[in-house]
Amino acid sequence: MEEKISIKSGELLLEGLFDPSGINGKGVIITHPHPLYGGNMYNNVVETLVSVFKDRGYSTLRFNFRGAGSSQGHHTESGDGEMQDVAAAAAFIVEKGLSPVFLAGYSYGSWVSHSAACRGFLASFPLEGMLLVSPPVDFIGFDKKSVNLELKIISGGYDNLGRPFSVKKVMNDWARAVYFESIEEADHFWVGHEDDLYEKALTAIS
């Protein structure tokens, strides 16, 4: 059962939902799409990922980035503030005795999680792997740097913000081994294809 929690990120308090009932001793941080376009932790894809990881035995943490929902602060154009938020979420997970930490991000959330891992924001935390759903590589530039993690990517065939062709061109820069799946009928928003995403993600995390 998810419970409302607060996460301290620097001087800010972020709102989140934490389910500590996982059975494998591991935790996952699930990050949401761009807050300036209405993204928050109640997004349909975020909800789907919560179900996936819960069913794989993880304790789950989703939260609103600074400036989203009731989280304090304001969106940062550089993304550095949001990367700090992911690090704060990782600290929360580890303080709860959960290790290692899995990162799962959707759209903008995938960019923030990937960037946080690439740029050293998560260097002091034990990371297990990363799932990127619909990384928007045609909308925002991703670091050409390996995260040195097991990397899973799931995209929609009709995603115009992260076309499968574009993802395939850059994904080998991100990790030595990459699991990639595309669901042909889905677009960037996954409306009507949440069950397809659930099945693909469940397989990817097995």
Side-chain angles (χ1 to χ4, degrees), residues 1 5 21-22 35 83 92 97 99 103 121 127 133 146 158 160 172 174-175 178 184 204:
M1 178 73 69
I5 54 92
S21 65
M83 293 175 214
F92 179 93
S99 181
L103 301 171
F121 284 81
L127 302 181
V133 176
S146 174
Y158 290 102
N160 62 355
N172 290 325
W174 298 347
V178 182
E184 185 60 36

Side-chain angles (χ1 to χ4, degrees), residues 52 56 102 129-135 147 149-155 167-168 171-172 174-183 190 196-206:
V52 167
R56 283 296 180 218
F102 207 104
M130 183 182 300
L131 170 64
L132 307 181
V133 176
S134 298
V147 294
L149 294 171
E150 184 178 356
L151 182 61
K152 322 282 189 176
I153 303 173
I154 303 175
S155 291
V167 174
K168 288 178 181 179
M171 68 185 191
N172 290 325
W174 298 347
R176 294 177 182 173
V178 182
Y179 170 100
F180 177 80
E181 285 281 356
S182 175
I183 298 175
W190 295 93
D196 297 327
L197 175 59
Y198 172 89
E199 293 298 335
K200 290 292 187 184
L202 196 69
T203 299
I205 305 304
S206 63

Side-chain angles (χ1 to χ4, degrees), residues 9-27:
S9 180
E11 298 301 314
L12 305 177
L13 284 180
L14 312 178
E15 64 172 340
L17 292 171
F18 177 55
D19 184 346
S21 65
I23 61 174
N24 67 7
K26 302 175 182 179

Side-chain angles (χ1 to χ4, degrees), residues 19 63-64 78-79 86:
D19 184 346
F63 68 95
N64 276 330
S78 67
V86 173

